[in-house]
Coordinates of all heavy atoms in Angstrom, one line a residue:
M1 N -33.9 13.9 -85.4 CA -34.3 15.0 -84.6 C -33.2 15.6 -83.8 O -32.5 14.9 -83.1 CB -35.5 14.6 -83.7 CG -36.1 15.7 -82.9 SD -37.5 15.2 -81.9 CE -38.8 15.5 -83.1
P2 N -33.0 16.9 -83.8 CA -31.9 17.5 -83.0 C -32.1 17.4 -81.5 O -33.2 17.4 -81.0 CB -31.9 19.0 -83.4 CG -33.1 19.2 -84.3 CD -33.7 17.9 -84.6
K3 N -31.0 17.3 -80.8 CA -31.0 17.2 -79.4 C -31.4 18.5 -78.7 O -30.9 19.6 -79.1 CB -29.6 16.8 -78.9 CG -29.6 16.4 -77.4 CD -28.2 15.9 -77.1 CE -28.1 15.6 -75.6 NZ -26.7 15.1 -75.3
C4 N -32.3 18.5 -77.8 CA -32.8 19.7 -77.1 C -31.8 20.1 -76.0 O -31.4 19.2 -75.2 CB -34.2 19.5 -76.5 SG -34.8 21.0 -75.8
Q5 N -31.3 21.3 -76.1 CA -30.3 21.8 -75.1 C -31.0 22.7 -74.1 O -31.7 23.6 -74.5 CB -29.1 22.5 -75.7 CG -28.0 22.8 -74.8 CD -26.8 23.4 -75.6 OE1 -26.9 23.6 -76.7 NE2 -25.8 23.6 -74.8
T6 N -30.7 22.5 -72.8 CA -31.3 23.3 -71.8 C -30.5 24.7 -71.8 O -29.3 24.7 -71.9 CB -31.1 22.7 -70.4 OG1 -31.8 21.5 -70.4 CG2 -31.6 23.6 -69.3
V7 N -31.3 25.8 -71.7 CA -30.7 27.1 -71.6 C -30.8 27.5 -70.2 O -31.8 27.5 -69.5 CB -31.6 28.1 -72.5 CG1 -31.0 29.5 -72.3 CG2 -31.5 27.7 -74.0
Y8 N -29.6 27.9 -69.7 CA -29.5 28.3 -68.3 C -29.5 29.9 -68.2 O -28.5 30.5 -68.3 CB -28.2 27.7 -67.7 CG -28.3 26.3 -67.5 CD1 -27.9 25.4 -68.5 CD2 -29.0 25.7 -66.4 CE1 -28.0 24.0 -68.4 CE2 -29.1 24.3 -66.3 CZ -28.6 23.5 -67.3 OH -28.8 22.1 -67.1
T9 N -30.7 30.4 -68.1 CA -30.9 31.8 -68.0 C -30.5 32.2 -66.6 O -30.5 31.4 -65.7 CB -32.4 32.2 -68.2 OG1 -33.2 31.5 -67.2 CG2 -32.9 31.8 -69.6
P10 N -30.3 33.5 -66.3 CA -30.1 33.9 -64.9 C -31.2 33.4 -64.0 O -30.8 33.0 -62.9 CB -30.0 35.5 -65.0 CG -29.5 35.7 -66.4 CD -30.2 34.6 -67.3
A11 N -32.4 33.5 -64.4 CA -33.5 33.0 -63.5 C -33.4 31.5 -63.2 O -33.7 31.1 -62.1 CB -34.9 33.4 -64.2
K12 N -33.0 30.8 -64.2 CA -32.9 29.3 -64.1 C -31.7 29.0 -63.1 O -31.8 28.1 -62.2 CB -32.6 28.7 -65.4 CG -32.3 27.2 -65.4 CD -33.6 26.4 -65.4 CE -33.3 24.9 -65.5 NZ -34.4 24.1 -65.4
I13 N -30.6 29.7 -63.3 CA -29.5 29.5 -62.4 C -29.9 29.9 -60.9 O -29.6 29.1 -60.0 CB -28.3 30.4 -62.8 CG1 -27.8 29.9 -64.2 CG2 -27.1 30.3 -61.8 CD1 -26.8 30.8 -64.9
Q14 N -30.5 31.0 -60.7 CA -31.0 31.4 -59.4 C -31.9 30.4 -58.8 O -31.9 30.0 -57.6 CB -31.6 32.8 -59.5 CG -30.6 33.9 -59.7 CD -31.2 35.2 -60.1 OE1 -32.4 35.3 -60.4 NE2 -30.4 36.2 -60.2
Y15 N -32.8 29.8 -59.6 CA -33.8 28.8 -59.2 C -33.0 27.6 -58.7 O -33.3 27.0 -57.7 CB -34.8 28.5 -60.3 CG -35.6 27.3 -60.0 CD1 -36.7 27.4 -59.2 CD2 -35.3 26.0 -60.5 CE1 -37.5 26.3 -58.9 CE2 -36.1 24.9 -60.2 CZ -37.2 25.0 -59.4 OH -37.9 23.9 -59.1
L16 N -32.1 27.1 -59.5 CA -31.3 25.9 -59.2 C -30.5 26.1 -57.9 O -30.4 25.2 -57.1 CB -30.4 25.5 -60.3 CG -31.1 25.0 -61.6 CD1 -30.1 24.9 -62.7 CD2 -31.8 23.7 -61.3
L17 N -29.9 27.3 -57.7 CA -29.2 27.6 -56.4 C -30.2 27.5 -55.2 O -29.9 26.9 -54.2 CB -28.5 28.9 -56.5 CG -27.3 29.0 -57.4 CD1 -26.9 30.5 -57.5 CD2 -26.2 28.2 -56.9
K18 N -31.4 28.2 -55.4 CA -32.3 28.2 -54.3 C -32.9 26.8 -54.0 O -33.0 26.4 -52.8 CB -33.5 29.1 -54.7 CG -34.5 29.3 -53.6 CD -35.6 30.3 -54.0 CE -36.6 30.5 -52.8 NZ -37.6 31.5 -53.1
E19 N -33.1 26.0 -55.0 CA -33.5 24.6 -54.9 C -32.6 23.8 -54.0 O -33.0 22.9 -53.3 CB -33.7 24.0 -56.3 CG -34.3 22.6 -56.3 CD -34.5 22.2 -57.7 OE1 -33.5 22.0 -58.4 OE2 -35.7 21.9 -58.1
R20 N -31.3 24.2 -54.1 CA -30.2 23.4 -53.4 C -29.9 24.1 -52.0 O -29.0 23.7 -51.3 CB -29.0 23.3 -54.2 CG -29.2 22.3 -55.3 CD -28.2 22.5 -56.5 NE -28.3 21.5 -57.5 CZ -29.3 21.4 -58.4 NH1 -30.3 22.3 -58.4 NH2 -29.4 20.5 -59.3
G21 N -30.6 25.2 -51.7 CA -30.4 25.9 -50.5 C -29.1 26.7 -50.4 O -28.5 26.9 -49.4
I22 N -28.6 27.1 -51.6 CA -27.4 27.9 -51.7 C -27.7 29.3 -52.1 O -28.4 29.6 -53.0 CB -26.5 27.2 -52.8 CG1 -26.2 25.8 -52.5 CG2 -25.2 28.0 -53.0 CD1 -25.7 25.0 -53.6
T23 N -27.0 30.2 -51.3 CA -27.2 31.7 -51.6 C -26.0 32.2 -52.4 O -24.9 31.7 -52.3 CB -27.4 32.5 -50.3 OG1 -26.2 32.4 -49.6 CG2 -28.6 31.9 -49.5
Q24 N -26.2 33.3 -53.1 CA -25.2 34.0 -53.7 C -24.1 34.5 -52.7 O -22.9 34.5 -52.9 CB -25.7 35.2 -54.6 CG -26.5 34.7 -55.7 CD -27.1 35.8 -56.6 OE1 -26.5 36.9 -56.6 NE2 -28.2 35.6 -57.2
K25 N -24.6 34.9 -51.5 CA -23.8 35.3 -50.5 C -22.8 34.2 -50.0 O -21.6 34.5 -49.8 CB -24.6 35.8 -49.3 CG -23.8 36.4 -48.1 CD -24.7 37.0 -47.0 CE -23.8 37.6 -46.0 NZ -24.6 38.2 -44.9
Q26 N -23.3 33.0 -49.9 CA -22.4 31.9 -49.5 C -21.3 31.7 -50.5 O -20.2 31.5 -50.1 CB -23.3 30.6 -49.4 CG -24.2 30.5 -48.2 CD -25.1 29.3 -48.3 OE1 -25.6 29.0 -49.3 NE2 -25.3 28.7 -47.1
I27 N -21.7 31.7 -51.8 CA -20.7 31.5 -52.8 C -19.7 32.6 -52.8 O -18.5 32.4 -52.9 CB -21.3 31.4 -54.2 CG1 -22.3 30.2 -54.3 CG2 -20.3 31.3 -55.3 CD1 -23.1 30.2 -55.6
A28 N -20.2 33.9 -52.6 CA -19.3 35.0 -52.6 C -18.3 34.9 -51.4 O -17.1 35.2 -51.6 CB -20.1 36.3 -52.4
E29 N -18.8 34.5 -50.2 CA -17.9 34.4 -49.1 C -16.8 33.3 -49.3 O -15.7 33.4 -49.0 CB -18.7 34.1 -47.8 CG -19.5 35.3 -47.3 CD -20.5 34.9 -46.2 OE1 -20.6 33.7 -45.8 OE2 -21.1 35.9 -45.7
E30 N -17.3 32.2 -49.9 CA -16.3 31.1 -50.2 C -15.3 31.5 -51.2 O -14.1 31.0 -51.1 CB -17.1 29.9 -50.7 CG -17.9 29.2 -49.7 CD -18.9 28.1 -50.2 OE1 -18.7 27.8 -51.4 OE2 -19.7 27.7 -49.5
E31 N -15.6 32.3 -52.1 CA -14.7 32.7 -53.2 C -14.0 34.0 -52.9 O -13.1 34.4 -53.6 CB -15.5 32.9 -54.5 CG -16.1 31.6 -55.1 CD -15.0 30.6 -55.3 OE1 -13.9 30.9 -55.9 OE2 -15.2 29.4 -55.0
G32 N -14.3 34.7 -51.8 CA -13.6 35.9 -51.4 C -13.9 37.1 -52.2 O -13.1 37.9 -52.5
V33 N -15.2 37.1 -52.7 CA -15.6 38.3 -53.6 C -16.9 38.8 -53.0 O -17.5 38.3 -52.1 CB -15.8 37.8 -55.0 CG1 -14.5 37.3 -55.7 CG2 -16.9 36.8 -55.2
S34 N -17.4 39.9 -53.6 CA -18.6 40.5 -53.2 C -19.8 39.7 -53.7 O -19.7 39.0 -54.7 CB -18.8 41.9 -53.6 OG -18.9 42.0 -55.0
E35 N -20.9 39.8 -53.0 CA -22.2 39.2 -53.5 C -22.6 39.7 -54.8 O -23.1 39.0 -55.7 CB -23.3 39.4 -52.4 CG -24.5 38.6 -52.7 CD -25.5 38.8 -51.6 OE1 -25.2 39.3 -50.5 OE2 -26.7 38.4 -51.8
M36 N -22.3 41.0 -55.1 CA -22.6 41.7 -56.3 C -21.8 41.0 -57.5 O -22.3 40.9 -58.6 CB -22.3 43.2 -56.3 CG -22.7 43.9 -57.5 SD -24.4 43.7 -58.0 CE -25.1 44.9 -56.9
S37 N -20.6 40.6 -57.2 CA -19.8 39.9 -58.3 C -20.4 38.6 -58.7 O -20.5 38.3 -59.9 CB -18.4 39.6 -57.8 OG -17.7 40.8 -57.6
I38 N -21.0 37.9 -57.7 CA -21.6 36.6 -58.1 C -22.9 36.9 -58.8 O -23.2 36.3 -59.9 CB -22.0 35.8 -56.8 CG1 -20.7 35.4 -56.0 CG2 -22.8 34.6 -57.1 CD1 -19.7 34.6 -56.8
S39 N -23.7 37.9 -58.4 CA -24.9 38.3 -59.1 C -24.5 38.8 -60.6 O -25.2 38.4 -61.5 CB -25.5 39.5 -58.4 OG -26.7 40.0 -59.1
D40 N -23.4 39.5 -60.7 CA -23.0 40.0 -62.0 C -22.7 38.8 -63.0 O -23.0 38.8 -64.1 CB -21.9 41.0 -61.9 CG -22.3 42.4 -61.5 OD1 -23.6 42.6 -61.4 OD2 -21.5 43.2 -61.2
V41 N -22.0 37.8 -62.4 CA -21.7 36.6 -63.2 C -22.9 35.9 -63.7 O -23.1 35.6 -64.8 CB -20.7 35.7 -62.4 CG1 -20.7 34.3 -63.1 CG2 -19.4 36.3 -62.3
I42 N -23.9 35.7 -62.7 CA -25.1 35.0 -63.0 C -25.9 35.8 -64.1 O -26.5 35.2 -65.0 CB -25.9 34.8 -61.8 CG1 -25.2 33.7 -60.9 CG2 -27.4 34.3 -62.1 CD1 -25.8 33.6 -59.5
N43 N -25.9 37.1 -64.0 CA -26.6 38.0 -64.9 C -25.9 38.4 -66.1 O -26.3 39.3 -66.8 CB -27.2 39.2 -64.1 CG -28.3 38.8 -63.2 OD1 -29.4 38.4 -63.6 ND2 -28.0 38.8 -61.9
H44 N -24.8 37.7 -66.4 CA -24.0 37.9 -67.7 C -23.4 39.4 -67.7 O -23.2 39.9 -68.8 CB -24.8 37.7 -68.9 CG -25.5 36.3 -68.9 ND1 -26.5 36.0 -69.8 CD2 -25.3 35.2 -68.1 CE1 -26.9 34.8 -69.6 NE2 -26.2 34.3 -68.6
K45 N -23.1 40.0 -66.6 CA -22.5 41.3 -66.6 C -21.1 41.3 -66.3 O -20.4 42.3 -66.4 CB -23.3 42.2 -65.6 CG -24.7 42.5 -65.9 CD -25.4 43.3 -64.8 CE -26.8 43.5 -65.1 NZ -27.5 44.3 -64.1
L46 N -20.6 40.1 -65.8 CA -19.2 40.0 -65.4 C -18.7 38.6 -65.9 O -19.4 37.6 -65.7 CB -19.0 40.1 -63.9 CG -17.7 39.7 -63.3 CD1 -16.6 40.8 -63.7 CD2 -17.7 39.6 -61.8
V47 N -17.6 38.6 -66.6 CA -17.0 37.3 -67.0 C -15.8 37.0 -66.1 O -14.8 37.7 -66.0 CB -16.5 37.5 -68.5 CG1 -15.7 36.2 -68.9 CG2 -17.7 37.7 -69.4
S48 N -15.9 35.9 -65.4 CA -14.9 35.4 -64.6 C -15.0 33.8 -64.6 O -15.9 33.3 -64.1 CB -15.0 35.9 -63.2 OG -14.1 35.1 -62.3
K49 N -14.0 33.2 -65.3 CA -14.1 31.7 -65.4 C -14.1 31.1 -64.0 O -14.9 30.2 -63.7 CB -12.9 31.2 -66.2 CG -13.0 29.7 -66.4 CD -11.8 29.3 -67.3 CE -11.8 27.8 -67.4 NZ -10.7 27.3 -68.2
R50 N -13.3 31.6 -63.1 CA -13.3 31.1 -61.7 C -14.7 31.2 -61.0 O -15.1 30.2 -60.4 CB -12.3 31.9 -60.9 CG -12.2 31.4 -59.4 CD -11.1 32.1 -58.7 NE -11.3 33.5 -58.5 CZ -11.9 34.1 -57.4 NH1 -12.3 33.3 -56.4 NH2 -12.1 35.3 -57.2
L51 N -15.3 32.3 -61.1 CA -16.7 32.5 -60.5 C -17.7 31.7 -61.3 O -18.7 31.1 -60.6 CB -17.0 33.9 -60.4 CG -16.1 34.8 -59.5 CD1 -16.5 36.2 -59.4 CD2 -15.9 34.2 -58.1
M52 N -17.6 31.6 -62.6 CA -18.5 30.8 -63.3 C -18.4 29.3 -62.9 O -19.4 28.6 -62.7 CB -18.3 30.9 -64.8 CG -18.6 32.2 -65.5 SD -18.1 32.2 -67.2 CE -18.9 33.7 -67.7
Q53 N -17.2 28.9 -62.7 CA -17.0 27.5 -62.2 C -17.6 27.3 -60.8 O -18.2 26.3 -60.5 CB -15.5 27.1 -62.2 CG -14.9 27.0 -63.6 CD -13.4 26.8 -63.6 OE1 -12.7 27.4 -62.8 NE2 -12.9 26.0 -64.5
A54 N -17.4 28.3 -60.0 CA -17.9 28.2 -58.6 C -19.4 28.1 -58.6 O -20.0 27.2 -57.9 CB -17.5 29.4 -57.8
V55 N -20.1 28.9 -59.4 CA -21.6 28.9 -59.5 C -22.0 27.5 -60.0 O -22.9 26.9 -59.5 CB -22.1 30.1 -60.3 CG1 -23.6 29.9 -60.6 CG2 -21.8 31.4 -59.6
A56 N -21.4 27.1 -61.2 CA -21.8 25.9 -61.8 C -21.6 24.7 -60.9 O -22.4 23.8 -60.9 CB -21.1 25.7 -63.1
N57 N -20.5 24.7 -60.2 CA -20.2 23.5 -59.3 C -21.2 23.4 -58.2 O -21.6 22.3 -57.8 CB -18.8 23.7 -58.7 CG -17.7 23.4 -59.7 OD1 -17.9 22.8 -60.7 ND2 -16.5 23.9 -59.3
R58 N -21.7 24.5 -57.7 CA -22.7 24.5 -56.7 C -24.0 23.9 -57.1 O -24.8 23.5 -56.3 CB -22.9 25.9 -56.1 CG -21.7 26.5 -55.3 CD -21.1 25.5 -54.3 NE -22.0 25.2 -53.2 CZ -22.0 25.7 -52.0 NH1 -21.1 26.6 -51.7 NH2 -22.9 25.3 -51.1
I59 N -24.3 24.0 -58.4 CA -25.6 23.4 -58.9 C -25.3 22.1 -59.6 O -26.2 21.5 -60.2 CB -26.4 24.4 -59.8 CG1 -25.6 24.9 -61.0 CG2 -26.9 25.5 -59.0 CD1 -26.3 25.8 -62.0
G60 N -24.0 21.6 -59.5 CA -23.7 20.3 -60.0 C -23.6 20.1 -61.5 O -23.8 19.1 -62.0
L61 N -23.2 21.2 -62.2 CA -23.1 21.2 -63.6 C -21.8 21.8 -64.1 O -21.1 22.5 -63.3 CB -24.3 22.0 -64.3 CG -25.7 21.5 -64.0 CD1 -26.7 22.5 -64.4 CD2 -25.9 20.2 -64.8
D62 N -21.4 21.5 -65.3 CA -20.2 22.1 -65.9 C -20.4 23.5 -66.2 O -21.5 23.9 -66.8 CB -19.8 21.3 -67.1 CG -18.5 21.7 -67.7 OD1 -17.5 21.2 -67.2 OD2 -18.5 22.6 -68.6
H63 N -19.4 24.4 -66.0 CA -19.5 25.8 -66.2 C -19.7 26.1 -67.7 O -20.3 27.1 -68.1 CB -18.3 26.6 -65.7 CG -17.0 26.2 -66.3 ND1 -16.3 25.1 -66.1 CD2 -16.3 26.9 -67.2 CE1 -15.2 25.0 -66.8 NE2 -15.2 26.2 -67.5
R64 N -19.2 25.2 -68.6 CA -19.3 25.5 -70.0 C -20.8 25.2 -70.5 O -21.2 25.7 -71.5 CB -18.4 24.6 -70.8 CG -16.9 25.0 -70.6 CD -16.0 24.0 -71.3 NE -16.1 22.7 -70.6 CZ -15.2 22.1 -69.9 NH1 -14.0 22.7 -69.8 NH2 -15.4 21.0 -69.3
T65 N -21.5 24.4 -69.7 CA -22.9 24.2 -70.0 C -23.8 25.3 -69.5 O -24.6 25.8 -70.2 CB -23.3 22.8 -69.4 OG1 -22.5 21.8 -69.9 CG2 -24.8 22.5 -69.6
V66 N -23.5 25.7 -68.2 CA -24.3 26.7 -67.6 C -24.1 28.0 -68.2 O -25.1 28.8 -68.4 CB -24.0 26.8 -66.0 CG1 -24.8 27.9 -65.4 CG2 -24.3 25.5 -65.3
F67 N -22.9 28.3 -68.6 CA -22.6 29.6 -69.2 C -22.2 29.4 -70.7 O -21.3 30.0 -71.2 CB -21.4 30.3 -68.5 CG -21.8 30.6 -67.0 CD1 -21.5 29.8 -66.0 CD2 -22.6 31.8 -66.8 CE1 -21.9 30.1 -64.7 CE2 -23.0 32.1 -65.5 CZ -22.6 31.2 -64.4
S68 N -23.0 28.6 -71.4 CA -22.8 28.3 -72.8 C -22.8 29.5 -73.7 O -22.2 29.6 -74.7 CB -23.8 27.3 -73.3 OG -25.1 27.7 -73.2
W69 N -23.5 30.6 -73.2 CA -23.6 31.8 -74.0 C -22.2 32.4 -74.1 O -21.8 33.1 -75.1 CB -24.5 32.9 -73.3 CG -24.0 33.3 -72.0 CD1 -24.3 32.7 -70.7 CD2 -23.0 34.3 -71.7 NE1 -23.6 33.3 -69.7 CE2 -22.8 34.3 -70.3 CE3 -22.3 35.2 -72.4 CZ2 -22.0 35.2 -69.6 CZ3 -21.5 36.1 -71.8 CH2 -21.3 36.1 -70.4
Y70 N -21.3 32.1 -73.2 CA -19.9 32.6 -73.2 C -19.0 31.6 -73.8 O -18.1 31.9 -74.6 CB -19.4 33.0 -71.8 CG -18.0 33.5 -71.8 CD1 -17.7 34.8 -72.3 CD2 -16.9 32.7 -71.4 CE1 -16.4 35.3 -72.3 CE2 -15.6 33.2 -71.5 CZ -15.4 34.5 -71.9 OH -14.1 35.0 -72.0
F71 N -19.1 30.3 -73.5 CA -18.2 29.3 -73.9 C -18.6 28.6 -75.2 O -17.9 27.8 -75.7 CB -18.0 28.2 -72.8 CG -17.3 28.7 -71.6 CD1 -18.0 29.1 -70.5 CD2 -15.9 28.9 -71.6 CE1 -17.3 29.6 -69.4 CE2 -15.3 29.4 -70.5 CZ -16.0 29.8 -69.4
G72 N -19.8 28.9 -75.8 CA -20.2 28.3 -77.0 C -19.5 28.7 -78.2 O -18.7 29.6 -78.2
Q73 N -19.8 28.1 -79.3 CA -19.2 28.4 -80.6 C -19.5 29.8 -81.1 O -18.7 30.4 -81.7 CB -19.8 27.4 -81.7 CG -19.4 25.9 -81.4 CD -17.9 25.6 -81.7 OE1 -17.2 26.5 -82.2 NE2 -17.5 24.5 -81.3
T74 N -20.7 30.3 -80.8 CA -21.1 31.6 -81.3 C -21.0 32.6 -80.1 O -22.0 33.3 -79.8 CB -22.5 31.6 -81.9 OG1 -23.4 31.1 -80.9 CG2 -22.6 30.7 -83.1
R75 N -19.9 32.6 -79.5 CA -19.7 33.5 -78.3 C -19.8 34.9 -78.7 O -19.1 35.4 -79.6 CB -18.3 33.2 -77.7 CG -18.0 33.9 -76.4 CD -16.8 33.3 -75.8 NE -15.6 34.1 -76.2 CZ -14.4 33.8 -75.8 NH1 -14.2 32.7 -75.0 NH2 -13.4 34.5 -76.1
P76 N -20.7 35.7 -77.9 CA -20.8 37.1 -78.2 C -19.7 37.9 -77.6 O -18.8 37.3 -76.9 CB -22.1 37.4 -77.4 CG -22.1 36.5 -76.3 CD -21.5 35.2 -76.9
S77 N -19.6 39.2 -77.9 CA -18.6 40.0 -77.3 C -18.8 39.9 -75.8 O -19.9 39.8 -75.3 CB -18.9 41.5 -77.7 OG -18.7 41.6 -79.1
R78 N -17.7 40.0 -75.1 CA -17.8 39.9 -73.6 C -18.4 41.1 -73.0 O -18.3 42.2 -73.5 CB -16.4 39.6 -73.0 CG -15.3 40.5 -73.4 CD -14.0 40.0 -73.0 NE -13.0 40.6 -73.8 CZ -11.8 40.8 -73.5 NH1 -11.3 40.3 -72.4 NH2 -10.9 41.4 -74.3
P79 N -19.1 40.9 -71.9 CA -19.7 41.9 -71.1 C -18.6 42.9 -70.6 O -17.4 42.6 -70.7 CB -20.4 41.2 -70.0 CG -20.6 39.8 -70.4 CD -19.4 39.6 -71.3
G80 N -19.1 44.0 -70.0 CA -18.3 45.1 -69.5 C -17.0 44.7 -68.8 O -15.9 45.0 -69.3
R81 N -17.0 44.1 -67.6 CA -15.8 43.8 -66.8 C -15.3 42.4 -67.0 O -16.1 41.5 -67.1 CB -16.1 44.1 -65.4 CG -16.5 45.5 -65.1 CD -16.8 45.8 -63.6 NE -17.2 44.7 -62.8 CZ -18.3 44.7 -62.1 NH1 -19.1 45.7 -62.1 NH2 -18.6 43.6 -61.4
V82 N -14.0 42.2 -67.0 CA -13.5 40.9 -67.0 C -12.5 40.7 -65.9 O -11.7 41.6 -65.6 CB -12.7 40.7 -68.4 CG1 -12.0 39.3 -68.4 CG2 -13.6 40.9 -69.5
T83 N -12.6 39.6 -65.2 CA -11.7 39.3 -64.1 C -10.9 38.0 -64.3 O -11.4 37.2 -65.1 CB -12.4 39.2 -62.7 OG1 -13.3 38.1 -62.8 CG2 -13.0 40.5 -62.4

């Protein structure tokens, strides 16, 4: 039987942050970016490995797992902006 893999949708990522008492604003301030940049990363509108790592670290997971849509084997075309 194939192993079931958790899909980290934007809603799931936001839920995990909220569960840990972490806001997008806190991550943005720590990373020196706008809150909108963090939101865009979570919602797959902005590709930034550094910010993906920051978000994933705050929920205690690897960024390649949380953002597997980008780092996976069948990686789609990248979203609009890249940093």
Side-chain angles (χ1 to χ4, degrees):
M1 180 176 271
K3 189 176 178 181
C4 183
Q5 186 175 5
T6 301
V7 175
Y8 292 92
T9 62
K12 175 85 171 173
I13 295 168
Q14 291 166 350
Y15 170 80
L16 292 170
L17 288 170
K18 184 174 182 177
E19 186 177 62
R20 288 159 178 75
I22 301 164
T23 66
Q24 292 179 27
K25 183 176 182 176
Q26 288 172 319
I27 298 171
E29 288 173 354
E30 290 170 9
E31 295 299 319
V33 298
S34 70
E35 190 175 347
M36 183 58 77
S37 292
I38 299 301
S39 176
D40 285 349
V41 165
I42 291 171
N43 288 291
H44 308 167
K45 295 178 183 178
L46 173 67
V47 173
S48 168
K49 184 176 176 184
R50 177 176 69 93
L51 297 181
M52 288 175 172
Q53 288 173 324
V55 170
N57 287 342
R58 294 309 297 260
I59 57 177
L61 297 167
D62 185 85
H63 66 286
R64 292 172 297 242
T65 301
V66 176
F67 297 98
S68 62
W69 64 269
Y70 181 76
F71 291 101
Q73 296 287 352
T74 57
R75 187 166 92 180
S77 298
R78 51 189 159 158
R81 300 184 328 236
V82 178
T83 62

